[in-house]
Amino acid sequence: MTDDLPLADRGLVVTGGSRGIGAAVVRLALAQGADVVFGYHSDEKRAQALADELSAAHPGRRCVPLRADVSDTVEARRFATEALGHLERFDVLVNNAGVTRDTLFARMAPEQWHEVIGTNLDSMYTVTKPLLMPLVKQRGGAIINIASTSGLHGIPGQTAYSAAKAGIIGFTKALAKEIGARGVTVNAVAPGLIETDMTAEMPQDKAEFLKSLIPGHAFGTPEDVAHLVCFLASDRARYITGQAIEISGGLVV
Ligand code: NAP
């Protein structure tokens, strides 16, 4: 590890890496010297364009997109196995893929509940399971799970999402205790409101109201979150584990 390349020669697997926070993590990890395999679900063109751009910008590094629905056990297992095959070494898993299907609980259809739980929470099992033993055997590495302010504090209209993200935090703490002795850290990152497609759908008046609750009156950027994730992925964070670190501009203090 050098000061300017804290992820030099590390191998990362990032789910949901084709846009938003995941894409910012992929971008920064490559800039910090890593090889990256990233997942996407529906937008192959976008994923391939990102991989082409970053491969050209970082000759000699690997940046490989793989399609998989992480809520599907079979696809997730295939994704994990293929990802390992593309990397010379594997050090860091970033479980980032997620969706929201906001609605009041009284109106929530079972499909909405299952899609949110399946993509955000079940994927912790389906993706992490095949990738855990390589880290444990290597006796080193990091798992970073993207949770949310919603999982820490609960947000009306997001019962399924809050439940999934709170579940991620519990999963993170328990797994950190299980594998800490093997030199593998497990942390959750809980973003507040970040400028991505996920928040772009929000009505303007609601966005303005939420900004008024943030001390700096602004949403965060995907790069803000990527810097935290890449720090947790590096040796600099080797003594941090089992934490849920909120990155919300002080939305809740
Ligand atoms: P985003 O811009 O909507 O991007 C979502 C990513 O996840 C895309 O790459 C998408 O791939 C992928 N994805 C969605 N469903 C998937 C599935 N079933 N299987 C595999 N990949 C799937 O989201 P974001 O805002 O960057 O959010 C990233 C993470 O941060 C999520 O876990 C989210 O819950 C969390 N978060 C976001 C915010 C925020 O304010 N943005 C706040 C707190 C937490 P395709 O494009 O190919 O479909």
Side-chain angles (χ1 to χ4, degrees), residues 37 111 119 140 161 168 190 193 199 204 233:
V37 176
E111 302 76 40
T119 308
Y161 188 71
I168 288 174
L193 291 147
T199 46
Q204 187 68 20

Side-chain angles (χ1 to χ4, degrees), residues 86-222:
H86 284 285
L87 290 170
E88 236 161 68
R89 47 174 300 145
F90 166 58
D91 303 281
V92 179
L93 167 62
V94 183
N95 278 313
N96 166 76
V99 291
T100 50
R101 295 289 178 263
D102 293 0
T103 187
L104 291 175
F105 184 65
R107 293 194 197 130
M108 186 176 290
E111 302 76 40
Q112 290 171 307
W113 175 270
H114 290 302
E115 188 181 359
V116 170
I117 299 292
T119 308
N120 294 279
L121 185 58
D122 290 349
S123 63
M124 294 296 131
Y125 178 83
T126 56
V127 177
T128 308
K129 193 81 197 319
L131 293 173
L132 187 67
M133 284 323 282
L135 294 178
V136 166
K137 281 185 186 154
Q138 173 174 284
R139 291 187 164 264
I143 299 172
I144 299 143
N145 304 318
I146 307 301
S148 168
T149 296
S150 188
L152 285 169
H153 309 291
I155 292 183
Q158 291 197 325
T159 46
Y161 188 71
S162 295
K165 295 303 194 184
I168 288 174
I169 292 167
F171 168 76
T172 298
K173 289 175 186 284
L175 189 61
K177 289 178 183 175
E178 285 187 17
I179 62 174
R182 304 302 178 108
V184 183
T185 61
V186 191
N187 288 291
V189 165
L193 291 147
I194 308 298
E195 282 169 357
T196 68
D197 294 345
M198 198 176 264
T199 46
E201 292 163 6
M202 194 184 292
Q204 187 68 20
D205 55 341
K206 188 175 173 189
E208 289 310 319
F209 169 70
L210 289 170
K211 277 181 193 168
S212 75
L213 303 178
I214 300 168
H217 301 307
F219 287 180
T221 66

